[in-house]
Amino acid sequence: MTESGSGPAGWFAATFRAMGTNCRVVAPDGDLAHRAVALVGELEQMWSRFLPDSEIAQLNRSAGRLCVVSAVTFELIARAEQARAATDGAFNPLMLDQLVTLGYDTTWDDVTDVSSDPPPVSPGSDQPIELFDDAMAVRLPEGTSFDPGGIGKGLAGDLVAAALLDDGAGSVQVELGGDVRVAGRPWSASEWQVQVDDTDHGAAVAATISLAEGGVATSSVVRRRWRRGDVEVHHLLDPSTGFSATTDLDAVTAVAPTLWWAEVVAKVALMAGSNGARSVFDRYDMSGLLVRSAAPQRYETIPRRGVTP
């Protein structure tokens, strides 16, 4: 972890590595920043699919059977099932087996190209995850595996921001892999200003998003790509096929009151392509940014609305 006292207005910033990505927290003081770093680490220990003793790994080994989990893990799975229902299955958290079959079977730093062609994959399961609130228990459909993926990163940002506010922070900014959760009083002006870069296409600042509070999440198919034989695949899977989604968008940024929901909408809009993404944002009365694969009309801004389920 790198520590710095040079945050906005002299606040404390901590940068660190967690959940397979670069992270940053800005809080009023070092104790609160350290608390945030520790919380992200705790959530990673519970949710990582790469740790055999994590709650998610144990849940996946118990597919088809009832599994008791912690309150925060129950919330993660409940949010994921809520997202699947709200998107009519366009978001499906049960795509881990297909992702592993395509080659994403280890942490991203160790994923490599494979000379053989991709094996057949099946569409995502349309069976619901069973949730038992009173017992904090979950039952995955038999033969499926849960992937915390982006929604886990988003919910982590929400939980950390809420915890720091409860601990007395007047304002907090949590960045996990480029996705941002802001809460409390903005550091300047009347709203938070979040800059969205697009360095993959040479734009240091593609857009500046203003929001009173909430999350800004970007889903992209540019970087997490690898080859299976002559086929290039990526990590964003289409539930209807089980294979990497075909889209003419490189990235989508979504803005929402919570980061977990911004993550979901960004992913669904990206898979919908440029012809369908606007309808996704219209459906949920949300704002965002589309990044097309081809110039000259690279960027399209979706006007701000701000109402989500």
Side-chain angles (χ1 to χ4, degrees):
M1 181 179 69
T2 301
E3 303 176 355
S4 170
S6 61
W11 286 24
F12 193 95
T15 57
F16 57 104
R17 184 85 177 168
M19 297 186 169
T21 191
N22 295 322
C23 306
R24 181 173 182 262
V25 174
V26 182
D29 59 54
D31 288 342
L32 287 169
H34 291 149
R35 162 92 166 125
V37 174
L39 281 172
V40 174
E42 291 170 12
L43 293 172
E44 181 177 23
Q45 291 295 311
M46 287 189 284
W47 294 350
S48 174
R49 67 179 174 99
F50 303 113
L51 298 175
D53 293 330
S54 74
E55 287 194 69
I56 293 301
Q58 294 176 45
L59 174 65
N60 287 336
R61 290 194 295 269
S62 302
R65 294 176 282 128
L66 209 60
C67 183
V68 177
V69 297
S70 65
V72 290
T73 298
F74 187 89
E75 180 176 359
L76 169 64
I77 298 163
R79 293 298 188 190
E81 188 62 21
Q82 178 186 352
R84 177 161 61 169
T87 62
D88 300 323
F91 172 85
N92 189 326
L94 299 176
M95 302 292 294
L96 179 56
D97 291 339
Q98 290 86 341
L99 195 61
V100 169
T101 297
L102 289 176
Y104 199 168
D105 55 356
T106 185
T107 58
W108 176 246
D109 290 341
D110 294 326
V111 172
T112 59
D113 294 341
V114 179
S115 58
S116 60
D117 290 335
V121 289
S122 59
S125 172
D126 60 1
Q127 299 179 62
I129 301 172
E130 295 181 76
L131 300 163
F132 302 87
D133 301 50
D134 292 344
M136 288 294 168
V138 177
R139 180 158 48 218
L140 299 182
E142 189 171 359
T144 67
S145 296
F146 181 87
D147 182 12
I151 194 172
K153 186 173 60 172
L155 183 59
D158 293 325
L159 293 175
V160 170
L164 264 61
L165 292 182
D166 287 344
D167 285 348
S171 304
V172 61
Q173 176 180 312
V174 181
E175 301 176 25
L176 303 175
D179 295 338
V180 179
R181 180 63 157 94
V182 290
R185 296 184 303 274
W187 290 320
S188 62
S190 59
E191 292 186 309
W192 293 91
Q193 304 291 313
V194 177
Q195 292 185 333
V196 181
D197 69 34
D198 184 24
T199 52
D200 292 318
H201 299 103
V205 179
T208 298
I209 294 171
S210 300
L211 68 163
E213 185 170 316
V216 179
T218 298
S219 185
S220 171
V221 295
V222 173
R223 297 187 180 182
R224 298 206 170 191
R225 306 180 75 95
W226 64 100
R227 297 197 70 83
R228 292 297 313 253
D230 295 329
V231 180
E232 190 172 45
V233 295
H234 58 76
H235 72 294
L236 189 67
L237 305 188
D238 182 346
S240 68
T241 65
F243 202 75
S244 299
T246 300
T247 176
D248 63 341
L249 295 172
D250 276 353
V252 171
T253 296
V255 185
T258 57
L259 189 55
W260 73 265
W261 180 240
E263 285 272 4
V264 169
V265 174
K267 181 176 184 178
V268 171
L270 180 56
M271 289 192 294
S274 57
N275 289 332
R278 179 174 282 277
S279 295
V280 172
F281 280 96
D282 285 345
R283 175 179 181 180
Y284 303 113
D285 290 329
M286 288 172 60
S287 59
L289 176 72
L290 312 183
V291 183
R292 290 182 172 81
S293 304
Q297 199 174 8
R298 176 83 68 191
Y299 303 106
E300 180 182 356
T301 301
I302 308 297
R304 180 174 183 172
R305 296 173 183 84
V307 178
T308 58

